[in-house]
Amino acid sequence: MGCGSAHLRLYSGLFQAMRAALLIQRWYRQYVARLEMRRRCTWHIFQSIEYAGEQDQIKFTRVYCLCLSGNLISHIFRENEICRDIEWERYFCYKNIEVPELYSGPHLSFPLTVSNVADLVEAFKNKQQLHTRYVLQLLLESWKLLRMLPNINQVSTCQTKEITICGDLHGHLEDLLLVFYKNGMPSVEKSYVFNGDFVDRGKDSIEILLILFAFMLLYPNNVHLNRGNHEDYIVNLRYGFTKEVLGKYRLHGKKILKLLQKIFSWLPLATVIDQKVLILHGGISDTTDLNIIAQADRHKVKSTSFLLVNGRMDNSLQRHCSLAYNSPLRSRYNFQSRSMQNFSSKVNLAVEEELKEQRRMAGLSQSYHDLRSSLSSDSDSDNYETYEDDSNEWKQVIIVDMLWSDPMPQDGCIPNEVRGGGCYWGPDVTEKVLRRHNLQLLIRSHECKQEGYEFCHNRKVLTIFSASNYYEVGSNRGAYIRLGPDLVPHFIQYQANRSTRELTLRQSVGETERSALRALREQLFAHKSDLLYAFQDYDTDNTGWISLKHWATAVEAVLRLGLPWRVLRSQLVTTTQDGMLDYQGWLRELPITEPKTESHVTLSIEQLFGWVTLILWKNSLMNSHHSLIGLISFEEFRQTWKLLSSHLKMEISDEAILDMAVSIDFNKDGSIDINEFMEAFRLVDRTMNLPSEPNHTKTDE
């Protein structure tokens, strides 16, 4: 009897222990699930804001390219596009630039040596700056080499045991240095493929380019660079690279940017390893054909953004018949070409009428026809991407797909409306393209992944992303791939920021979530005026109150981020009364009290106006009779701002514009030069708490 009682107590104890273990297990699973839900929601916020920014980039480029007959952006870097390469080489000549004795940075000799490149990497690691003479010389040699390379590089693992593949770096020099530390520097025994998007967003883009170009010159058979969608001078205007170069190299910044524009257009489009693995930046489409890509004049595509906003390249028409992707390429293109021409003529007519009205409202006497004539009088056929025939034009459509497209889980090929360019392609398209070219794997980048890499399409498409902490510290890992003769990818993940490795999962999710919500509030703050109008549409009685349902609907209608606003409502709306929101009070509470100094995922209205003003100022500079001395008059400044404000339906008085011009005119000579404008823009930029320039020793001039 006693024995049975003991067994009963034992079994009872075991039952209680198992029950407790199951309860703990269930609680832990729920806890992890909640953390994962928060992490995914945070990720969705960051990604939606990023893609919305890319849509805005296309929209703003469309406004300026169409409204100003395509001349606006192209004139920014323009000197004389009709020049031949030999004349451009004379223009970029560095020999008359002297290196002062006080210069303490790295010195380069050409042809480059291993010690030269090692010194360069070490100097950048120590925050030193390369002198302008060496920058131009290094870029000029890189341009000469790139012009000799094919559109698609062929690489073999027979020459080296492994090939390392890196994805987007986006100006994150610490990530590149960490890859070199963990994996070794490029050499004859260690080949690398860098898959585009070297610049923008981060603060060390020019340093990354110079390091990669130096290694490419040193080991041309072992270091391969593919072009990304951010190797684009129009995109660089928005995402920071143009500003970085002009800030670090003030005297020769424009010449460096012009040379980089040419270099970007000559970057190869893809790399193939052992004729089995295709590496390109964005992706493919239902019309991708490597044989056609190999024949394209890639250097004619100065900017894919320009192609996207050109009438020929409207996305919805470009892929109008994408569901019938088995149809012949020629018939599909013929249909699209006719559609593009019809669309282009309609859009240009509508824009012309709209701009006439806006110029009338802005009080400008010059007609749109006169404006077009004055701008087109010195137009450049090369920058407008005017193509010799339909075949060349279609080849460049395919290039856009290669740089901008993303995979999707469903079959088919549809316009990439989220980014505003390229397409979404499905597993069936992957299978078709790989089978057509006897390939077994497609490696691409272009998308930030939380773990640094991700498979899709039955493990036949692999995304690799090498910029860790891309959205915020702790938001994602970076990764790179090692590919041996067996062509089986091996992944190495990392976090460049040491502090993130010390955080628990809960702390990491919490930090990233707070950063995402802060970025979202910045987006809301940047759209305050539009939000107020949207809220007032639901407040027909002018009570100042709307329902939370209407709040969520209005916010999505304005921001168009596709976020679960009802889920986020508790994080964004703190005070309600009986399910109603005082929207005016909520808007007043939106200003950010403690802005992050390292946030780069959003631009406020003030910052955006700063960039737009910079673009328009350069356009006026290049087209004015003052271009030789680099000045812009107050009247040119006024006309530019009146035109812009009328288009954006924002009132700004002549007095306010004059006050702005006078405040920028530091030497009080009645005109504005580039140094005055850049200094004013730098001061505004600092007050808006954008990332500040690193403390470099000013030794370049």
Side-chain angles (χ1 to χ4, degrees):
M1 188 72 177
C3 183
S5 177
H7 281 89
L8 183 62
R9 286 195 299 271
L10 177 61
Y11 290 140
S12 177
L14 289 173
F15 176 76
Q16 293 295 333
M18 291 178 62
R19 184 180 179 185
L22 289 172
L23 288 173
I24 293 173
Q25 187 181 58
R26 184 173 66 177
W27 171 85
Y28 180 74
R29 286 177 176 174
Q30 292 175 346
Y31 169 76
V32 173
R34 285 194 298 269
L35 282 180
E36 181 62 21
M37 183 179 69
R38 289 170 57 191
R39 191 173 77 140
R40 290 187 181 185
C41 187
T42 298
W43 188 260
H44 192 184
I45 292 172
F46 278 131
Q47 202 167 56
S48 296
I49 292 174
E50 179 190 8
Y51 291 170
E54 291 184 348
Q55 288 182 0
D56 290 342
Q57 165 69 29
I58 300 301
K59 291 175 183 177
F60 274 96
T61 308
R62 178 179 289 115
V63 169
Y64 301 127
C65 287
L66 288 179
C67 287
L68 298 184
S69 189
N71 270 340
L72 179 64
I73 305 298
S74 64
H75 279 291
I76 292 174
F77 298 90
R78 189 174 184 276
E79 293 288 337
N80 183 2
E81 292 293 344
I82 305 176
C83 292
R84 302 190 179 189
D85 286 343
I86 188 66
E87 295 170 332
W88 276 116
E89 290 178 14
R90 286 198 294 266
Y91 170 73
F92 295 129
C93 184
Y94 52 85
K95 295 180 180 178
N96 59 345
I97 303 175
E98 295 184 0
V99 180
E101 294 182 1
L102 295 177
Y103 172 70
S104 59
H107 292 266
L108 301 181
S109 60
F110 292 82
L112 289 174
T113 64
V114 175
S115 61
N116 283 154
V117 181
D119 290 344
L120 183 66
V121 173
E122 188 65 24
F124 288 158
K125 184 178 180 180
N126 295 324
K127 304 300 182 184
Q128 289 182 297
Q129 189 165 302
L130 186 64
H131 192 274
T132 301
R133 177 189 175 97
Y134 298 130
V135 172
L136 287 172
Q137 191 172 5
L138 177 57
L139 294 180
L140 194 57
E141 293 300 319
S142 301
W143 181 38
K144 293 176 182 178
L145 174 60
L146 288 170
R147 283 170 10 211
M148 297 169 21
L149 297 180
N151 291 347
I152 303 175
N153 281 316
Q154 300 288 338
V155 182
S156 173
T157 57
C158 296
Q159 299 175 2
T160 59
K161 294 182 179 179
E162 282 187 332
I163 295 175
T164 302
I165 303 159
C166 295
D168 297 31
L169 287 167
H170 278 301
H172 288 209
L173 180 60
E174 64 273 16
D175 286 303
L176 179 62
L177 297 178
L178 184 57
V179 171
F180 287 164
Y181 173 77
K182 295 169 71 72
N183 193 63
M185 296 246 193
S187 65
V188 176
E189 295 78 23
K190 193 173 293 294
S191 295
Y192 275 84
V193 176
F194 294 93
N195 199 24
D197 277 13
F198 317 119
V199 302
D200 282 333
R201 301 188 186 277
K203 57 188 177 183
D204 297 313
S205 296
I206 186 65
E207 286 78 10
I208 286 179
L209 278 180
L210 294 175
I211 289 174
L212 296 184
F213 289 151
F215 275 118
M216 180 186 69
L217 291 173
L218 187 60
Y219 304 111
N221 296 321
N222 301 93
V223 176
H224 308 279
L225 310 181
N226 290 341
R227 184 178 183 178
N229 65 306
H230 277 262
E231 278 68 65
D232 183 312
Y233 70 101
I234 294 181
V235 175
N236 299 153
L237 285 165
R238 166 93 187 239
Y239 290 102
F241 181 54
T242 298
K243 181 193 167 203
E244 177 189 333
V245 173
L246 291 175
K248 292 178 179 178
Y249 297 96
R250 295 190 177 186
L251 185 58
H252 297 93
K254 180 177 178 289
K255 186 176 289 188
I256 292 173
L257 288 170
K258 181 63 184 178
L259 181 50
L260 283 170
Q261 176 192 344
K262 291 189 166 294
I263 288 174
F264 287 167
S265 69
W266 278 103
L267 284 170
L269 302 172
T271 302
V272 175
I273 298 178
D274 290 347
Q275 299 182 342
K276 290 295 181 181
V277 178
L278 172 64
I279 306 172
L280 46 74
H281 179 73
I284 57 177
S285 71
D286 51 357
T287 59
T288 297
D289 189 322
L290 298 186
N291 297 320
I292 294 178
I293 294 169
Q295 301 170 13
D297 295 324
R298 69 178 188 272
H299 66 282
K300 291 186 177 181
V301 184
K302 298 291 193 298
S303 171
T304 55
S305 293
F306 184 86
L307 287 173
L308 289 169
V309 301
N310 196 322
R312 301 185 185 95
M313 288 292 299
D314 181 75
N315 235 351
S316 60
L317 291 173
Q318 178 191 333
R319 306 210 165 273
H320 183 78
C321 53
S322 61
L323 295 179
Y325 54 84
N326 287 322
S327 60
L329 173 65
R330 175 55 50 191
S331 62
R332 177 180 171 209
Y333 170 67
N334 287 340
F335 171 82
Q336 291 170 342
S337 180
R338 292 193 300 269
S339 300
M340 300 303 168
Q341 294 170 2
N342 295 336
F343 172 80
S344 179
S345 60
K346 292 178 182 178
V347 167
N348 287 331
L349 180 61
V351 168
E352 183 166 351
E353 294 299 325
E354 179 184 359
L355 195 56
K356 282 182 181 178
E357 177 63 16
Q358 288 171 359
R359 293 190 63 82
R360 185 189 65 78
M361 294 172 60
L364 302 180
S365 57
Q366 187 181 13
S367 68
Y368 178 58
H369 176 74
D370 295 337
L371 179 64
R372 288 188 60 150
S373 299
S374 64
L375 287 176
S376 60
S377 61
D378 57 350
S379 63
D380 169 38
S381 60
D382 183 45
N383 260 355
Y384 294 152
E385 319 293 351
T386 54
Y387 312 115
E388 296 178 0
D389 51 40
D390 289 348
S391 176
N392 285 338
E393 184 176 340
W394 184 249
K395 291 174 186 176
Q396 299 182 35
V397 174
I398 298 176
I399 292 176
V400 173
D401 288 338
M402 295 176 66
L403 301 184
W404 283 87
S405 298
D406 295 304
M408 66 176 181
Q410 302 85 8
D411 284 348
C413 187
I414 61 176
N416 192 332
E417 301 292 353
V418 176
R419 288 188 187 270
C423 70
Y424 279 117
W425 87 92
D428 57 328
V429 177
T430 296
E431 186 67 32
K432 171 187 172 184
V433 173
L434 294 184
R435 185 172 60 250
R436 176 191 299 162
H437 298 286
N438 195 26
L439 300 168
Q440 66 184 46
L441 179 65
L442 167 63
I443 298 178
R444 42 94 62 179
S445 300
H446 195 43
E447 285 184 288
C448 181
K449 299 299 180 183
Q450 287 183 310
E451 298 302 323
Y453 71 94
E454 182 179 275
F455 276 106
C456 65
H457 294 183
N458 301 317
R459 298 180 69 84
K460 292 185 178 180
V461 173
L462 172 57
T463 299
I464 186 71
F465 197 86
S466 299
S468 65
N469 307 303
Y470 176 64
Y471 293 122
E472 187 59 52
V473 174
S475 63
N476 68 284
R477 295 181 178 182
Y480 59 90
I481 301 170
R482 286 178 181 159
L483 204 65
D486 59 359
L487 300 181
V488 176
H490 301 276
F491 308 99
I492 294 85
Q493 300 168 288
Y494 54 85
Q495 283 273 10
N497 192 302
R498 181 174 299 176
S499 62
T500 60
R501 298 194 290 268
E502 301 172 354
L503 298 177
T504 65
L505 177 61
R506 182 178 180 180
Q507 290 172 331
S508 177
V509 172
E511 285 289 330
T512 310
E513 185 179 52
R514 283 188 288 273
S515 299
L517 291 172
R518 181 166 49 246
L520 192 54
R521 291 190 184 96
E522 290 173 356
Q523 283 285 314
L524 293 167
F525 180 69
H527 293 82
K528 281 180 65 175
S529 299
D530 292 335
L531 287 171
L532 179 60
Y533 290 133
F535 293 153
Q536 288 174 343
D537 288 341
Y538 290 104
D539 182 21
T540 55
D541 297 328
N542 296 323
T543 63
W545 294 79
I546 59 173
S547 68
L548 293 175
K549 177 182 178 181
H550 288 158
W551 171 86
T553 303
V555 169
E556 175 57 29
V558 172
L559 267 63
R560 298 185 180 277
L561 295 178
L563 295 174
W565 295 105
R566 295 187 183 183
V567 175
L568 296 169
R569 188 174 59 199
S570 61
Q571 306 267 21
L572 300 172
V573 179
T574 56
T575 305
T576 60
Q577 182 176 334
D578 298 328
M580 302 293 287
L581 171 67
D582 175 10
Y583 59 86
Q584 292 182 342
W586 178 76
L587 289 172
R588 285 193 296 270
E589 295 174 358
L590 274 181
I592 314 300
T593 56
E594 296 181 1
K596 285 284 290 182
T597 59
E598 293 295 329
S599 174
H600 62 261
V601 296
T602 183
L603 287 174
S604 72
I605 290 295
E606 288 82 359
Q607 296 156 7
L608 183 59
F609 265 58
W611 276 110
V612 170
T613 307
L614 176 61
I615 295 173
L616 294 177
W617 182 86
K618 286 183 177 179
N619 177 64
S620 298
L621 174 66
M622 295 305 168
N623 289 289
S624 71
H625 58 281
H626 298 303
S627 59
L628 293 178
I629 57 177
L631 300 176
I632 181 172
S633 69
F634 283 5
E635 177 58 23
E636 290 169 327
F637 189 83
R638 184 190 73 83
Q639 288 199 13
T640 296
W641 267 95
K642 294 294 285 186
L643 178 61
L644 175 65
S645 61
S646 64
H647 179 80
L648 296 180
K649 299 179 174 60
M650 299 183 68
E651 294 184 4
I652 181 168
S653 65
D654 289 345
E655 292 77 11
I657 298 174
L658 179 60
D659 289 343
M660 192 188 316
V662 170
S663 66
I664 295 176
D665 181 20
F666 295 121
N667 61 7
K668 307 304 178 187
D669 64 350
S671 59
I672 303 169
D673 63 32
I674 182 63
N675 292 325
E676 290 174 330
F677 187 90
M678 289 303 297
E679 178 64 15
F681 181 67
R682 181 185 67 83
L683 294 174
V684 172
D685 197 35
R686 291 277 175 87
T687 63
M688 296 307 298
N689 291 292
L690 274 179
S692 59
E693 299 286 353
N695 293 324
H696 294 285
T697 303
K698 295 298 179 184
T699 56
D700 61 306
E701 327 292 4

